[in-house]
Amino acid sequence: MSVSVTLRDITVDDCLPLRQQVLWPNLTQDECRVEHDETAVHLGAFDGDTLVGCTSLFVLPDGEMQLRKFAVSQEYQGQGIGSALLRASFERCAALGLKTFMLSARVSAIGFYEKHGLTAVGDVYFKGPIPHRKMVCVVG
């Protein structure tokens, strides 16, 4: 089942409550900020006026785009919102003339990203207690 959402650019401050709720419930919203948030593109998915998903896109010095802090409200997961945000992220990457899209995926989410054309590379590594793998794809 899919829900219809509207995607638009948002601010990092718009992202923080959802980041906290989904990714880091034990941190304060301010602790959910990441380096270079102020220069990233933040995309939001809205069900009406309610922000139900967000992600942040960072252009890296080597010309790659990195997706970071991808969050969809638990009650909206499995309804196509993450897929819509990921497609919009690929489109933004291509529109900027960047060819490589990458992210650091929680191991539990690798299957989702593989369905969208990303490939896991390298070994599993840990961010705190959570296992991750780097994932990449070519866009455009």
Side-chain angles (χ1 to χ4, degrees):
M1 175 175 165
S2 291
V3 65
S4 178
V5 295
T6 303
L7 302 180
R8 66 176 185 258
D9 288 7
I10 58 175
T11 68
V12 65
D13 290 330
D14 295 329
C15 292
L16 292 177
L18 195 55
R19 277 186 191 173
Q20 179 189 37
Q21 174 195 353
V22 175
L23 301 174
W24 298 306
N26 297 325
L27 300 180
T28 67
Q29 284 184 22
D30 200 49
E31 291 170 323
C32 293
R33 293 180 187 277
V34 296
E35 187 175 16
H36 305 297
D37 256 342
E38 65 283 352
T39 60
V41 171
H42 306 281
L43 298 177
F46 291 83
D47 180 9
D49 291 332
T50 304
L51 180 66
V52 297
C54 65
T55 193
S56 301
L57 304 171
F58 298 78
V59 176
L60 302 178
D62 61 3
E64 292 182 319
M65 178 170 278
Q66 181 182 22
L67 179 144
R68 296 178 70 192
K69 309 310 161 220
F70 194 10
V72 175
S73 293
Q74 187 170 7
E75 60 270 23
Y76 283 86
Q77 291 178 9
Q79 298 182 50
I81 295 166
S83 295
L85 280 166
L86 194 55
R87 283 190 301 272
S89 298
F90 291 155
E91 291 168 6
R92 185 65 61 97
C93 183
L96 292 172
L98 305 173
K99 300 293 183 199
T100 304
F101 186 87
M102 60 88 61
L103 56 92
S104 179
R106 291 180 181 204
V107 168
S108 61
I110 286 176
F112 168 79
Y113 293 115
E114 286 176 333
K115 286 191 291 188
H116 290 88
L118 285 111
T119 301
V121 296
D123 295 329
V124 172
Y125 54 94
F126 286 82
K127 292 184 176 184
I130 302 170
H132 287 72
R133 284 198 67 196
K134 180 178 180 179
M135 300 194 77
V136 298
C137 71
V138 175
V139 298

